[in-house]
């Protein structure tokens, strides 16, 4: 099993890695340039949640006080009058903006992020610079840091295991399998992860709990997408399996430390640009 997860880490990290070169997108700004920072969300329930989104917006306003700020939403109508990215890029072009820095609030490199990348790539020709930070779980180091944040934010009761509850789609499965492995490794088994619609499942979790011979389980929601119904159902099934269950009221995704990790991603996008296909071919020759 350990060999499988090691291979999974290597494969996903390879898929996400791309060549970059250092080039600060704001360093060469002239008087006639206009820059804007954009956060892009899927909605307010998935990803970081409303509280996490507010923390991210506030943090980006603080670290980029000299630039304008906007929000966009990839799900039409999910955030009221918030425009979708394509509409916003067109409006920014008409308004004379030249440098665009985007940070999605997604947790994984899901289809929503890929859709946003496609829109951003199509709009690049309208601006001098248009760059996008990565979602929360992108590089191997991100998984390590998210695991550390969970372990240090939510204490584990004696003779208990903390379980990170995740509501996932099929394309998210590799990311959550990696996070499960990282949590277990860093906590010496005091943290586990389980998902709906993905792997590891709740049934698999119960098997792991039986092997560890623990009596108590503390459920920790990863994000607001973990509904009250999901909490209640998991609590019921774990109690039927013989465990004493408590549920954390806070979500991991809405913690300030998670916002700090998003900040690292957007700062990296500001300082480094991805090489285009032609440039990457030259490097690989």
């Amino acid at each position: 099993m350990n060999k499988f997860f090691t291979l999974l880490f290597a494969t996903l990290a390879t898929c996400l890695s791309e060549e970059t070169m250092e080039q600060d997108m704001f360093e060469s700004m002239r008087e006639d340039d206009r820059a804007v920072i954009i956060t892009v969300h899927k909605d307010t329930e998935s990803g970081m949640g409303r509280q996490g989104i507010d923390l991210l917006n506030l943090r980006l306003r603080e670290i980029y006080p000299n630039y304008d700020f906007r929000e966009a939403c990839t799900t039409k109508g999910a955030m009221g009058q918030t425009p979708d990215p394509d509409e916003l890029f067109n409006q920014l072009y008409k308004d004379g903006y030249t440098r665009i820095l985007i940070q999605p609030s997604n947790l994984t490199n899901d289809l929503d992020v890929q859709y946003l990348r496609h829109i951003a790539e199509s709009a690049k020709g309208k601006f001098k610079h248009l760059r996008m930070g990565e979602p929360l779980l992108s590089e191997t180091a991100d998984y390590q840091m998210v695991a550390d944040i969970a372990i240090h934010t939510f204490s584990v009761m004696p003779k208990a295991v903390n379980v990170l509850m995740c509501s996932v789609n099929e394309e998210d499965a590799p990311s959550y399998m990696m996070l499960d492995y990282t949590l277990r490794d860093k906590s010496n088994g005091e943290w586990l992860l389980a998902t709906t619609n993905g792997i590891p499942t709740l049934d698999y979790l119960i098997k792991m709990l039986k092997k560890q011979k623990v009596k108590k389980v503390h459920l920790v929601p990863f994000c607001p997408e973990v509904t009250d119904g999901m909490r209640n159902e998991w609590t019921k099934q774990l109690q039927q399996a013989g465990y004493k269950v408590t549920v954390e009221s806070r979500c991991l995704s809405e913690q300030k430390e998670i916002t700090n990790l998003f900040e690292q991603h957007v700062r990296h996008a500001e300082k480094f640009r991805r090489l285009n296909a032609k440039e990457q071919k030259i490097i690989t020759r």
Side-chain angles (χ1 to χ4, degrees), residues 1-127:
M1 182 63 73
N2 282 350
K3 288 183 179 179
F4 168 75
F5 281 109
T6 301
L7 178 62
L8 180 64
F9 265 104
T11 301
L12 191 50
T14 300
C15 292
L16 290 174
S17 64
E18 288 193 31
E19 294 289 343
T20 60
M21 68 174 293
E22 188 170 1
Q23 184 182 32
D24 191 324
M25 64 180 286
F26 297 133
E27 192 172 47
S28 60
M29 282 190 67
R30 304 183 313 187
E31 290 186 5
D32 58 341
D33 281 329
R34 296 181 68 187
V36 62
I37 314 299
I38 304 170
T39 52
V40 181
H41 322 290
K42 184 176 181 180
D43 51 50
T44 56
E45 296 304 318
S46 58
M48 299 180 76
R50 182 71 263 178
Q51 181 179 328
I53 287 173
D54 290 343
L55 283 172
L56 177 59
N57 290 347
L58 177 62
R59 185 61 186 144
L60 293 185
R61 287 177 184 270
E62 288 174 347
I63 64 176
Y64 295 108
N66 299 322
Y67 308 126
D68 293 333
F69 179 84
R70 299 286 190 276
E71 278 187 288
C73 182
T74 54
T75 306
K76 270 194 174 293
M79 293 178 61
Q81 299 302 310
T82 305
D84 67 37
D86 199 30
E87 293 171 339
L88 182 57
F89 292 151
N90 287 332
Q91 188 59 53
L92 293 173
Y93 174 68
K94 291 177 183 177
D95 292 342
Y97 285 89
T98 59
R99 296 164 196 256
I100 316 294
L101 181 57
I102 313 161
Q103 179 56 54
S105 61
N106 300 66
L107 302 179
T108 66
N109 187 44
D110 57 16
L111 292 176
D112 192 62
V113 173
Q114 295 173 44
Y115 165 69
L116 178 58
R117 281 202 184 98
H118 173 73
I119 294 175
E121 190 65 30
S122 299
K124 268 188 176 180
K126 297 179 179 179
F127 308 101

Side-chain angles (χ1 to χ4, degrees), residues 142-153:
D142 298 332
Y143 292 86
Q144 302 283 337
M145 286 186 277
V146 170
D148 284 337
I149 292 168
I151 292 167
H152 293 127
T153 302

